[in-house]
Every structure is written in C-alpha cells, then in structure tokens.
Amino acid sequence: MKKITVLSQLALCASLSFIGFAAQAQDLKGSAQAANAKVWLCVGCHSIPDYRADYPLVYRVPMLGGQSAAYIASALAAYKKGERKHPTMRAVAGSLSDQDMADLGEYYAVQTASSPNNPLK
C-alpha cells in the first residue's frame, strides 16, 4: 500500500511540474522592439545573402526574415541544449535567455526575406 502512495505522489509531482513549465512557456511573450538591442548577435552571418560558413563544414547560413517566431525560438533552444550541433550557433544560443530567444523570434517574424535585419523603428 505504501508503495502505491509513493508512486502516486511522484506522478502528481511530475504532472504539476509539467503544468507549471507549460504555463511558464505560454506566459513568455517576445518583443520585436526589445530584440533591436540583441540582434547584433545574428546579423554578422544571417544578414549576408548566400553566405556560407566553413566551420566545421561548409554550411549555407539561412536568412531568417519571415520565419515564424516559434520556430526561431525553438531552434535557438535546441542549439542551447545541444540538440542542434553547429558550434557557433550553440555558443551564441548559450548566451541567450528564454526571453532573448522569444524576442529574437518575434523580431525575425516581422521581417521579410528581403529586409531581414533592419532595426525596427
């Protein structure tokens, strides 16, 4: 009987922590305006049409303008966690908070492919 109670309590704790995490993620709102002070991390590579990085392999650097905010934020989070492997992007993403990632996502979502890095007024 005691074993079932412990397992039930563990399951309840796990459920509550997941709910708390989901609620926190939903509360995080990005600001394109706030990203103006952060976008300098990105423009060195992502603002150059047809740019290719050559470390560790030749890699075509994508233009980010017009991508969805959620995609940008989730890609940055994946680099930060090591789920995506490019070393430069991992280092950049490692310096970002969740709020920074949400802000950068919103910033690029309002851009277009032809003007991906113009600071917002």
Side-chain angles (χ1 to χ4, degrees), residues 71-101:
Y71 173 76
I72 296 290
S74 68
L76 288 168
Y79 281 116
K80 186 173 185 171
K81 292 177 193 170
E83 296 168 356
R84 288 189 172 199
K85 303 296 182 189
H86 195 277
T88 303
M89 282 302 303
R90 185 156 188 207
V92 169
S95 71
L96 300 173
S97 69
D98 290 345
Q99 184 64 57
D100 293 335
M101 292 182 218

Side-chain angles (χ1 to χ4, degrees), residues 12 16 22 28 38-39 45-47 54-55 68 74-75 88 94 100 107 114 118:
L12 177 63
L16 291 175
L28 193 61
K38 303 167 187 176
V39 75
C45 297
H46 290 283
S47 66
D54 60 2
Y55 179 80
S68 81
S74 68
T88 303
D100 293 335
Y107 177 88
S114 62
N118 295 332

Side-chain angles (χ1 to χ4, degrees), residues 7 10 13 17 28 30 33 63 75 77 80 89 95 97 100 106 109:
L7 289 176
L10 286 173
C13 288
S17 66
L28 193 61
Q33 197 66 34
M63 300 297 280
K80 186 173 185 171
M89 282 302 303
S95 71
S97 69
D100 293 335
E106 288 298 326

